[in-house]
Amino acid sequence: MHGSMNSGSWESCFRSELSDSMDSENRTIINSHPPRPVIENVEPEIEAGRFPAKRILNDKVNVRADIHADAHDLLAAAVLYRKAGEEEWSESPMTLLVNDRWEGSFVVSQLGLYEFTIEAWIDRFASWKSRLLKKVAAGQEVSQDLLIGAELIRHAADRASREDSLLLQNWAESLSDPRLNLPTKTDLVSNSMFDLLMGRYPDRSASASYDRILTITVDPEIARFSSWYEMFPRSASAEPGKHGTFRDCRKRLPYIAGMGFNVLYLPPIHPIGRTHRKGRNNTLQPDPDAPGSPWAIGSDEGGHTAIHPQLGSMDDFRDLIRKARETGIEVALDLAFQCSPDHPWIKEHPGWFRRRPDGSIQHAENPPKIYEDIVPLDFETDDWKALYKELFGVVMLWIAQGVRVFRVDNPHTKPYSFWEWLIREVKQAHPEVIFLSEAFTRPKVMYRLAKIGFSQSYTYFTWRHTSHELRTYLTELTRPPLAEYFRPNLWPNTPDILPVHLQFGGRPAFQMRLILAATLGSNYGIYGPAFELCENTPIAVGKEEYLDSEKYEIRHWNLQQSGALSPIITRINTIRRENPALQSDRNLRFHEVSNDQLLAYSKHTDDLSNIILTVVNLDADNVQSGFIKLPMEELNITTSRPFQVHDLLSARRYLWSGTSHYVEINPHSMPAHVFRLRRYVRSEKDFDYYL
Amino acid sequence: MHGSMNSGSWESCFRSELSDSMDSENRTIINSHPPRPVIENVEPEIEAGRFPAKRILNDKVNVRADIHADAHDLLAAAVLYRKAGEEEWSESPMTLLVNDRWEGSFVVSQLGLYEFTIEAWIDRFASWKSRLLKKVAAGQEVSQDLLIGAELIRHAADRASREDSLLLQNWAESLSDPRLNLPTKTDLVSNSMFDLLMGRYPDRSASASYDRILTITVDPEIARFSSWYEMFPRSASAEPGKHGTFRDCRKRLPYIAGMGFNVLYLPPIHPIGRTHRKGRNNTLQPDPDAPGSPWAIGSDEGGHTAIHPQLGSMDDFRDLIRKARETGIEVALDLAFQCSPDHPWIKEHPGWFRRRPDGSIQHAENPPKIYEDIVPLDFETDDWKALYKELFGVVMLWIAQGVRVFRVDNPHTKPYSFWEWLIREVKQAHPEVIFLSEAFTRPKVMYRLAKIGFSQSYTYFTWRHTSHELRTYLTELTRPPLAEYFRPNLWPNTPDILPVHLQFGGRPAFQMRLILAATLGSNYGIYGPAFELCENTPIAVGKEEYLDSEKYEIRHWNLQQSGALSPIITRINTIRRENPALQSDRNLRFHEVSNDQLLAYSKHTDDLSNIILTVVNLDADNVQSGFIKLPMEELNITTSRPFQVHDLLSARRYLWSGTSHYVEINPHSMPAHVFRLRRYVRSEKDFDYYL
């Protein structure tokens, strides 16, 4: 049994001390009374501080807490914060909001882990002043009170700088000077200069500290705002049938950067096993030249630290990373911690794999599914520390090549404790690295993976289609406490999933799902070129897998195909880049619509200078129309004048007034409006200006 | 700065060990992999276990938690619980509800503190069985799987009793017996007898323990269900003008017990100070024979441990307690930790009081209010331990006289740490004692006092009058997490508060507020006889204090006065006693009404065998009517037949059908219905029976 009653430390100390004193009359050990203020319900705090909240470099972290004490004294409080590992705390004052809720903030200006906590104390000077002025107002006798105040000021003077000390001493003298009359003294007390002075030298000898030190993980901007493009390097050759290389990928960079993506995610790039290699469409009898699944990692040519020879060399890979970064793109690598039966580890570390009674190695299975070409690592092996260390080494090796972004394959099939350890160790050395969790599993498992360190996570967005589903799910994901640690990354498709609504909705469905992903989520991604070319044939009716999936064969894509979505992708990514409202999920709000086939939602910056209202027709076939109700007051838009909505997709502008607005959307022209709301600024003669 | 990162203990251990091993290749210290299951979001848990949740003797405590692990293994879990101080844990199994939420329970059969926590482990046998049967169903080869299962069973046999061990060994043999065919083996695996057997001997070597040990305070029944009657003993004499005594109180017992109260609360019974004694209506110039406020405690005749001589002797008081208990009534004492300027402590412990610069003692004030007859104790005195000890002694002295219930005056003007310590120490010796907090202050302060130990609390009910106010407030109070530790006690009036709606609503308003208090709250109280005699004259227009308040003078009450509310009080307390639904606040639900002047709500027992629907007309002047919508499905009442509502106030019965019901209430006959809902049971010829 770990742990014990989690009482505050003065508490337990106080208790035993007091009990001692009860027994022995020895009252010398603790002489000062325990601190009176209480600090509780702190935000952000995840599981009593067990996990850090997540923020982005240069974010202002708002810290809130209920702070109160007995009696009628006024309080003061401060947030104490520091970069983890630093000795000294910095401090920032908290202010009372309402109902004993206090707020303070600090800016996180370095990547990595921060620590913070709260201190609160009785503000004896402010309490005295407030009582005194009330008594004066009620005409009560205050001569003794003035002397008490003078004493408080003298004590502050003892703590003050020389200059301030002189000022304070003189002030104390004046308050106790019998020659001065009450109005003069009251004026002195009311002088706000003295509040400032006294505020500098509070008596914090009896201040209360919050029980816990809480933590914040500070990630790079890309953890909050990223547009992912997934592609198979082996399909990147310009020549049909030829195995693509990193050099081919390099040539594809202008196309990907041109569409506005900033992450290029490659499925595993390692040597592929031969034993039980899968053929086209996941068959067990492959052609002799079948390339196999890139997730069946490891062959004579190496394992997780090697590159599949047909893709090129390590130099080619480093070159791709460099060139990509020059175009604003990070290359994301796939961490798939599993092996083909030919992986070198199987000989080098036989203990890392579970064996069956007949001595054969257990392949991966999730009955009735069988993955003959893959054997899982046994994380519970007695030799687990060596295994952990090896996997840590794998990550560090790719970081050394320049990788900053990892997409982690099926993290939910490896122990939580492994990931928590791995991510912490990696981020301690490289806080600029981020991890995307590909955990399409039960919600609480997904959320736990986020808590223990994953920077982003795949979501059920891929299967959320109706208005009700999207509203409920996205609302859940973007509200605290979840939003403090879980960052959704929305994917309309993946190499594993061609959702039903894409199979039947044609090009409008692809457009609709693209716009939803890109405007609902500040992080989103597509698996291309299948997506932008509207590839929508499943392997069989009722299945969500692609026919002729790139997982098992090399494909050749005609990027110039007519109807390709690259122009609209380019447009939507430009809109995302130009509108900070779309670069975070903090302020996503759904709005009432009279027609359930329309989904309306807005995002805005905290200062409301940038407001994006998106209205999507969820029906890929028919024109839908309805009335949208906007919370004008919340958006700080006056209803006394019209305001402008500027459709950033079509570039059309409309004047709206009031709170209820008619919208009609034909999915065959464009299944959505992405409006920027512009407030009325001024009118010059016949011209109205909107900001 | 107290505390540090609150990580689970294996975590920190694991981390340093692993880091060591990374450096030194020494992998001998921790060889087993950290436990894979995760236990989180435990209920009940208050502030990460800092405070106990509250329950009543013999309650079943339901414990819930999210429990999950990586991969597809099945889990098992148990609640571990014990009386605090015991060495051994008892255990009760948890079951999966849905969405990784598990539930288990245990019964608290002793007063005092319980501890509980949770353990979870991979159920390797159930996981194996589930996978095996899926593979069999898919026609896959399972010979190796059967051998794996046989091995699991053999391991269980090693842990089993002799008899079970033989059974298990034989079973393992059969599974590995090449002479038996697959269907025979599958039948064996499916035999639920073996689930039972294997369930007895789980492999818990790698089980995960929850990080914290949580606590439950088990209180006596009266903490959850109590009907309080407050009266001034000095006004209890049958003879007008004469100072009442404990003997007079004894004579009043049949009257109070007859109305159905089970707590008789007396304002302070200690000697009253002379210095600055208050006169009638809180004046500063008292008549020579003015009795003074009982809250100005202490004179030459003694302080908090003495009895005001005019009330009688300690023997008389003990006798009152005894006789009261015989009629089912507990006598509640007032703990008002403050002094008159004549209190013996002022001489004996001058250091316990704050002094002004001129050496005089600081009297109580909350500017512009001044309490000249009271001096507060200085809880921050250097001598605070002696003060704490003395106050503890006061409480123990009255407990020694038989007191089990304390009403605490203004607890929010004394430090939280004092109460937390005091209540814990008292309840450790006397878990049967309960404390009611008279904290009419800011909500978070009230809630904190409940967290740190108060068994019940006064509320704002006294000032909540409209339908919206009552709904919102009572909903807040009766939902988790607040309901886990805060027990509201609803008072329509107190000696300090004659609320405006009682001043102007006449007898119907008194009836209405009585019924609201007694049916909204399982704990409620009235200040009598002012209440049952409908005393409603304030000291001045716009004030909420009583004219000729008993706080400052002796009153004589004519209990036989016509229109006295004793019959309706008797009725409502009988209804409360006879209907368990009204004896807890767990299941309070408000219902939709078409008229805002009507308030409708129900309470029911967990098994829905007792359902009380109360409908109150909040308008004390006019007849109001409207339709009530009931959640029939939630209440498990069929809508296919009529059901009976039986008004327990008027004894009238009505047949209702459907979900929407018309109600009309004339406040001048009775401002409410208190319906018991009776389901249709059977029909015999012309007679229908309702339960």
Side-chain angles (χ1 to χ4, degrees):
Chain A
M1 190 59 44
H2 325 123
S4 63
M5 280 189 62
N6 184 13
S7 54
S9 57
W10 78 256
E11 258 304 310
S12 42
C13 170
F14 162 54
R15 188 182 185 187
S16 55
E17 291 308 328
L18 190 57
S19 303
D20 285 355
S21 87
M22 292 290 158
D23 299 330
S24 64
E25 298 292 327
N26 168 7
R27 277 176 245 129
T28 56
I29 306 174
I30 294 189
N31 279 318
S32 59
H33 188 271
R36 285 167 46 207
V38 151
I39 304 162
E40 54 185 6
N41 298 325
V42 177
E43 280 179 329
E45 175 178 303
I46 297 159
E47 287 195 23
R50 168 79 174 75
F51 301 105
K54 292 188 181 129
R55 292 294 185 273
I56 296 296
L57 190 63
N58 295 322
D59 268 359
K60 191 176 95 174
V61 180
N62 288 317
V63 176
R64 291 184 176 201
D66 293 339
I67 303 178
H68 47 85
D70 59 286
H72 308 286
D73 290 318
L74 301 181
L75 301 181
V79 181
L80 278 63
Y81 63 97
R82 65 183 174 195
K83 189 85 186 354
E86 279 173 9
E87 191 72 26
E88 289 296 307
W89 293 97
S90 299
E91 204 173 285
S92 137
M94 298 185 82
T95 52
L96 176 61
L97 300 173
V98 72
N99 190 19
D100 293 318
R101 192 96 185 130
W102 291 65
E103 185 179 60
S105 67
F106 60 96
V107 171
V108 283
S109 53
Q110 294 177 63
L111 292 176
L113 209 62
Y114 273 73
E115 296 180 333
F116 72 94
T117 189
I118 294 174
E119 218 175 289
W121 59 93
I122 308 277
D123 187 338
R124 298 197 191 264
F125 175 73
S127 307
W128 166 81
K129 178 174 166 175
S130 145
R131 270 195 294 265
L132 179 92
L133 295 179
K134 279 184 198 160
K135 290 177 84 165
V136 169
Q140 293 170 8
E141 213 285 315
V142 294
S143 59
Q144 291 297 308
D145 300 84
L146 286 167
L147 294 177
I148 292 170
E151 195 59 21
L152 283 174
I153 295 162
R154 271 186 213 104
H155 281 300
D158 293 345
R159 295 184 290 271
S161 72
R162 225 183 79 83
E163 200 172 324
D164 289 351
S165 178
L166 289 174
L167 275 170
L168 289 168
Q169 278 168 31
N170 289 340
W171 184 28
E173 285 318 304
S174 306
L175 289 190
S176 26
D177 191 334
R179 293 164 304 179
L180 296 176
N181 63 12
L182 181 61
T184 309
K185 291 178 178 175
T186 311
D187 276 357
L188 266 175
V189 171
S190 310
N191 190 323
S192 63
M193 186 189 80
F194 289 112
D195 290 339
L196 270 174
L197 265 181
M198 289 297 287
R200 278 186 209 156
Y201 309 104
D203 176 8
R204 289 169 61 171
S205 57
S207 70
S209 295
Y210 185 53
D211 286 346
R212 294 184 272 280
I213 294 176
L214 305 173
T215 51
I216 304 275
T217 289
V218 182
D219 285 323
E221 170 72 15
I222 201 167
R224 174 149 71 204
F225 176 52
S226 61
S227 316
W228 291 53
Y229 186 79
E230 173 175 6
M231 64 170 240
F232 284 74
R234 67 189 183 191
S235 299
S237 170
E239 198 177 314
K242 199 176 159 194
H243 196 290
T245 64
F246 291 140
R247 282 162 195 263
D248 295 322
C249 294
R250 220 181 98 180
K251 289 182 203 143
R252 189 70 63 86
L253 285 174
Y255 169 75
I256 301 163
M259 284 191 289
F261 291 101
N262 65 352
V263 180
L264 168 60
Y265 150 46
L266 311 178
I269 59 172
H270 315 301
I272 295 168
R274 282 247 147 237
T275 306
H276 302 307
R277 180 177 280 192
K278 296 289 183 89
R280 289 182 64 171
N281 289 310
N282 200 14
T283 49
L284 289 172
Q285 287 75 36
D287 299 334
D289 61 342
S293 159
W295 282 274
I297 295 171
S299 74
D300 291 346
E301 289 145 329
H304 285 76
T305 52
I307 284 177
H308 187 60
Q310 288 178 279
L311 290 172
S313 66
M314 194 63 95
D315 274 343
D316 293 340
F317 180 62
R318 277 193 295 260
D319 188 51
L320 173 63
I321 292 177
R322 247 190 327 266
K323 291 295 187 310
R325 195 163 287 150
E326 282 167 18
T327 63
I329 289 176
E330 288 293 326
V331 172
L333 223 57
D334 199 318
L335 290 181
F337 286 152
Q338 58 197 20
C339 301
S340 94
D342 308 321
H343 198 290
W345 286 341
I346 290 180
K347 280 186 198 135
E348 293 164 17
H349 301 281
W352 291 358
F353 302 88
R354 195 161 280 158
R355 278 167 203 277
R356 304 196 291 182
D358 63 1
S360 64
I361 285 187
Q362 177 71 57
H363 54 230
E365 59 176 25
N366 184 15
K369 284 191 224 162
I370 301 183
Y371 306 91
E372 295 86 350
D373 57 343
I374 291 174
V375 295
L377 289 157
D378 177 12
F379 283 80
E380 290 180 289
T381 168
D382 288 344
D383 197 23
W384 60 277
K385 284 188 191 170
L387 171 61
Y388 278 33
K389 191 186 164 188
E390 179 78 20
L391 297 177
F392 174 73
V394 167
V395 180
M396 293 302 278
L397 178 133
W398 295 109
I399 291 175
Q401 311 316 312
V403 177
R404 297 284 171 270
V405 179
F406 292 95
R407 178 267 197 193
V408 178
D409 192 68
N410 277 334
H412 57 292
T413 59
K414 289 96 193 168
Y416 295 128
S417 51
F418 167 68
W419 293 120
E420 184 169 8
W421 171 81
L422 180 88
I423 296 175
R424 187 172 49 202
E425 294 293 316
V426 169
K427 287 188 76 93
Q428 201 155 39
H430 293 282
E432 73 281 12
V433 168
I434 67 164
F435 295 87
L436 164 64
S437 154
E438 188 244 10
F440 284 116
T441 179
R442 287 125 57 211
K444 285 172 185 169
V445 176
M446 295 169 70
Y447 300 160
R448 180 78 183 190
L449 288 164
K451 278 187 209 166
I452 63 177
F454 281 91
S455 326
Q456 300 184 349
S457 174
Y458 282 60
T459 69
Y460 305 147
F461 166 77
T462 316
W463 299 284
R464 294 292 179 269
H465 186 52
T466 67
S467 158
H468 175 74
E469 285 167 357
L470 287 163
R471 269 167 191 265
T472 343
Y473 186 52
L474 269 298
T475 301
E476 176 183 337
L477 294 187
T478 54
R479 296 285 176 281
L482 201 50
E484 295 288 7
Y485 56 86
F486 185 90
R487 296 198 191 100
N489 191 328
L490 312 184
W491 290 70
N493 74 329
T494 78
D496 291 309
I497 314 164
L498 171 64
V500 173
H501 44 262
L502 290 186
Q503 296 177 28
F504 297 105
R507 197 168 176 270
F510 279 81
Q511 289 181 317
M512 178 231 295
R513 296 298 294 179
L514 168 77
I515 295 168
L516 283 170
T519 56
L520 283 169
S522 55
N523 296 298
Y524 90 107
I526 58 169
Y527 152 55
F531 189 86
E532 67 263 30
L533 301 183
C534 301
E535 173 95 351
N536 66 353
T537 316
I539 191 163
V541 173
K543 296 275 182 188
E544 290 199 324
E545 284 123 71
Y546 280 94
L547 178 68
D548 302 333
S549 165
E550 277 183 293
K551 285 172 73 178
Y552 310 106
E553 63 187 276
I554 294 169
R555 293 281 303 263
H556 179 74
W557 302 99
N558 174 13
L559 304 178
Q560 270 67 50
Q561 185 182 302
S562 103
L565 295 178
S566 28
I568 156 86
I569 295 173
T570 307
R571 186 79 210 111
I572 200 82
N573 280 333
T574 306
I575 294 171
R576 283 164 54 87
R577 256 199 327 274
E578 289 175 353
N579 290 279
L582 295 176
Q583 296 169 15
S584 130
D585 295 331
R586 279 177 53 78
N587 297 319
L588 174 65
R589 291 287 175 282
F590 290 92
H591 304 301
E592 264 181 62
V593 197
S594 62
N595 176 348
D596 227 27
Q597 295 289 347
L598 297 178
L599 185 70
Y601 49 93
S602 66
K603 284 186 162 188
H604 59 78
T605 51
D606 286 347
D607 66 0
L608 292 165
S609 65
N610 184 245
I611 308 174
I612 300 295
L613 167 69
T614 307
V615 191
V616 182
N617 180 356
L618 300 175
D619 177 350
D621 293 315
N622 307 293
V623 175
Q624 295 284 350
S625 62
F627 287 89
I628 297 162
K629 205 173 150 189
L630 289 182
M632 304 307 290
E633 204 173 334
E634 231 175 77
L635 299 173
N636 192 25
I637 295 180
T638 177
T639 48
S640 64
R641 281 178 183 285
F643 60 100
Q644 198 182 68
V645 295
H646 175 187
D647 187 346
L648 304 175
L649 287 172
S650 68
R652 284 203 203 96
R653 294 169 187 248
Y654 308 82
L655 274 190
W656 283 2
S657 58
T659 59
S660 184
H661 314 286
Y662 180 74
V663 168
E664 183 182 290
I665 300 180
N666 181 346
H668 300 289
S669 51
M670 182 57 74
H673 293 297
V674 179
F675 290 125
R676 169 143 190 218
L677 270 55
R678 295 177 186 277
R679 288 187 193 82
Y680 176 87
V681 185
R682 64 179 190 278
S683 180
E684 284 178 18
K685 293 187 184 155
D686 300 330
F687 299 97
D688 283 356
Y689 292 81
Y690 294 87
L691 186 63
Chain B
M1 190 60 44
H2 324 123
S4 64
M5 280 189 64
N6 185 12
S7 55
S9 57
W10 78 258
E11 257 304 311
S12 40
C13 170
F14 163 55
R15 190 183 183 185
S16 55
E17 290 309 328
L18 191 58
S19 302
D20 284 357
S21 87
M22 292 292 159
D23 299 330
S24 65
E25 297 293 325
N26 168 8
R27 275 176 245 130
T28 56
I29 306 174
I30 293 189
N31 279 319
S32 60
H33 189 271
R36 286 166 46 208
V38 151
I39 303 163
E40 53 184 6
N41 298 325
V42 178
E43 282 180 325
E45 175 178 303
I46 297 158
E47 286 194 24
R50 169 79 175 74
F51 301 105
K54 291 186 181 131
R55 292 293 185 274
I56 295 296
L57 190 63
N58 296 322
D59 268 359
K60 191 175 95 173
V61 180
N62 288 317
V63 176
R64 293 184 174 200
D66 293 339
I67 303 178
H68 47 86
D70 59 286
H72 308 287
D73 290 318
L74 301 181
L75 302 182
V79 181
L80 278 63
Y81 63 97
R82 66 182 173 195
K83 188 84 182 1
E86 279 173 11
E87 190 72 25
E88 290 297 307
W89 292 98
S90 300
E91 205 173 285
S92 139
M94 299 185 81
T95 52
L96 175 60
L97 300 174
V98 72
N99 190 18
D100 293 317
R101 191 96 184 130
W102 291 65
E103 186 180 60
S105 67
F106 60 97
V107 171
V108 283
S109 53
Q110 294 177 62
L111 293 176
L113 209 64
Y114 273 73
E115 296 179 334
F116 72 94
T117 189
I118 294 174
E119 217 175 290
W121 57 95
I122 308 280
D123 187 339
R124 298 198 191 263
F125 175 73
S127 306
W128 166 82
K129 178 174 167 176
S130 145
R131 269 194 295 264
L132 179 91
L133 295 179
K134 278 184 200 160
K135 290 177 84 165
V136 169
Q140 294 170 8
E141 213 284 315
V142 294
S143 59
Q144 291 296 309
D145 302 83
L146 286 167
L147 294 177
I148 293 171
E151 195 58 23
L152 284 174
I153 295 162
R154 272 188 211 103
H155 280 301
D158 293 345
R159 294 185 290 269
S161 72
R162 224 182 78 85
E163 200 171 326
D164 290 350
S165 179
L166 288 175
L167 275 170
L168 290 167
Q169 278 167 29
N170 290 339
W171 185 27
E173 285 316 306
S174 307
L175 289 190
S176 25
D177 191 335
R179 293 164 304 177
L180 295 176
N181 64 12
L182 182 62
T184 309
K185 291 178 179 175
T186 311
D187 276 358
L188 265 176
V189 171
S190 308
N191 190 324
S192 64
M193 187 189 79
F194 289 112
D195 289 339
L196 269 174
L197 265 181
M198 289 297 288
R200 279 188 208 153
Y201 308 105
D203 176 8
R204 288 167 63 170
S205 57
S207 70
S209 295
Y210 186 52
D211 286 346
R212 295 184 270 278
I213 294 176
L214 305 174
T215 52
I216 305 275
T217 289
V218 182
D219 285 323
E221 170 71 17
I222 201 168
R224 174 148 72 203
F225 177 52
S226 60
S227 315
W228 292 53
Y229 187 79
E230 173 175 6
M231 64 170 240
F232 284 74
R234 68 187 182 192
S235 298
S237 170
E239 198 177 313
K242 201 177 157 191
H243 195 291
T245 65
F246 290 140
R247 284 161 193 263
D248 295 323
C249 293
R250 220 180 99 182
K251 290 181 200 144
R252 189 67 65 84
L253 285 174
Y255 169 76
I256 301 162
M259 285 191 288
F261 291 101
N262 66 351
V263 180
L264 168 60
Y265 150 46
L266 310 178
I269 58 171
H270 314 300
I272 295 168
R274 284 246 147 240
T275 306
H276 302 308
R277 180 176 278 191
K278 295 291 183 87
R280 290 181 62 170
N281 289 311
N282 200 14
T283 48
L284 288 171
Q285 286 77 35
D287 298 335
D289 60 345
S293 158
W295 283 274
I297 295 170
S299 74
D300 291 347
E301 290 144 330
H304 285 76
T305 53
I307 284 177
H308 187 59
Q310 287 178 280
L311 290 172
S313 68
M314 194 62 96
D315 275 342
D316 293 340
F317 180 62
R318 277 193 296 259
D319 189 51
L320 173 64
I321 291 178
R322 247 191 326 267
K323 292 295 187 309
R325 196 163 286 151
E326 282 166 17
T327 62
I329 289 176
E330 288 294 327
V331 173
L333 223 59
D334 198 317
L335 290 181
F337 285 152
Q338 58 198 20
C339 301
S340 94
D342 307 321
H343 197 290
W345 286 340
I346 290 180
K347 281 186 198 132
E348 292 164 16
H349 300 283
W352 291 358
F353 302 88
R354 196 160 280 159
R355 277 168 204 277
R356 305 196 290 183
D358 64 2
S360 64
I361 285 186
Q362 178 69 57
H363 54 230
E365 59 175 25
N366 185 14
K369 284 193 226 164
I370 300 182
Y371 307 91
E372 296 86 350
D373 56 343
I374 290 172
V375 294
L377 289 156
D378 177 13
F379 283 80
E380 290 181 291
T381 167
D382 288 345
D383 197 24
W384 60 277
K385 285 188 191 170
L387 170 62
Y388 278 33
K389 192 185 163 186
E390 178 79 20
L391 297 177
F392 174 72
V394 166
V395 179
M396 293 302 278
L397 178 132
W398 294 109
I399 291 174
Q401 311 315 311
V403 177
R404 297 283 171 272
V405 179
F406 292 95
R407 177 268 197 192
V408 178
D409 192 69
N410 277 333
H412 57 291
T413 59
K414 289 95 192 170
Y416 295 127
S417 51
F418 166 69
W419 294 118
E420 184 169 9
W421 171 81
L422 181 88
I423 295 175
R424 186 172 52 203
E425 293 293 316
V426 169
K427 287 189 77 92
Q428 200 154 40
H430 293 281
E432 73 280 12
V433 168
I434 67 164
F435 295 87
L436 164 63
S437 154
E438 188 244 11
F440 284 117
T441 178
R442 286 126 56 211
K444 285 172 184 170
V445 176
M446 296 170 70
Y447 301 160
R448 179 79 184 189
L449 288 164
K451 278 186 209 167
I452 63 177
F454 281 91
S455 326
Q456 300 183 348
S457 174
Y458 282 60
T459 69
Y460 305 146
F461 165 78
T462 317
W463 299 284
R464 294 292 179 268
H465 186 53
T466 67
S467 160
H468 175 75
E469 286 167 357
L470 287 164
R471 269 168 190 265
T472 345
Y473 187 52
L474 269 298
T475 301
E476 176 183 337
L477 294 187
T478 54
R479 296 287 176 281
L482 201 49
E484 295 288 7
Y485 57 85
F486 185 90
R487 296 198 191 99
N489 191 327
L490 311 184
W491 289 71
N493 73 330
T494 79
D496 290 310
I497 314 164
L498 170 65
V500 173
H501 43 261
L502 290 185
Q503 296 177 28
F504 297 104
R507 196 168 176 270
F510 279 81
Q511 289 181 317
M512 178 232 296
R513 296 298 294 178
L514 169 76
I515 294 167
L516 282 170
T519 55
L520 282 170
S522 56
N523 297 298
Y524 91 106
I526 58 169
Y527 152 55
F531 189 85
E532 67 263 30
L533 302 182
C534 301
E535 174 94 351
N536 67 352
T537 317
I539 192 164
V541 174
K543 295 275 181 188
E544 291 198 323
E545 284 123 70
Y546 280 96
L547 179 67
D548 302 333
S549 164
E550 277 182 294
K551 285 174 71 178
Y552 310 107
E553 64 187 278
I554 294 170
R555 292 283 300 265
H556 180 75
W557 302 98
N558 173 13
L559 305 179
Q560 270 66 50
Q561 186 182 300
S562 101
L565 296 178
S566 28
I568 158 85
I569 294 173
T570 307
R571 187 80 211 109
I572 200 84
N573 279 334
T574 306
I575 294 171
R576 282 165 55 86
R577 255 199 327 274
E578 289 174 354
N579 290 278
L582 296 177
Q583 295 169 15
S584 131
D585 295 331
R586 278 177 53 79
N587 296 320
L588 175 66
R589 290 288 174 281
F590 290 92
H591 304 301
E592 263 181 61
V593 198
S594 61
N595 176 347
D596 227 27
Q597 294 290 346
L598 296 178
L599 185 71
Y601 49 93
S602 67
K603 284 186 163 188
H604 60 77
T605 51
D606 286 348
D607 65 0
L608 291 164
S609 64
N610 185 245
I611 307 174
I612 300 295
L613 167 69
T614 307
V615 191
V616 182
N617 180 355
L618 299 175
D619 177 351
D621 293 316
N622 307 292
V623 175
Q624 295 285 350
S625 62
F627 286 89
I628 296 162
K629 204 174 153 189
L630 289 182
M632 305 307 289
E633 205 174 334
E634 231 175 79
L635 299 172
N636 192 25
I637 295 180
T638 177
T639 48
S640 64
R641 283 178 180 284
F643 60 100
Q644 199 183 66
V645 295
H646 175 187
D647 186 347
L648 304 174
L649 286 173
S650 68
R652 285 202 202 98
R653 293 169 188 248
Y654 309 81
L655 274 190
W656 283 3
S657 59
T659 58
S660 184
H661 313 286
Y662 180 74
V663 167
E664 183 182 289
I665 300 180
N666 180 346
H668 299 288
S669 50
M670 182 59 74
H673 293 297
V674 178
F675 290 125
R676 169 140 189 221
L677 270 55
R678 295 178 187 276
R679 287 185 194 83
Y680 175 86
V681 185
R682 63 178 192 277
S683 180
E684 285 178 14
K685 292 184 184 160
D686 300 329
F687 298 97
D688 284 356
Y689 292 81
Y690 293 88
L691 187 65

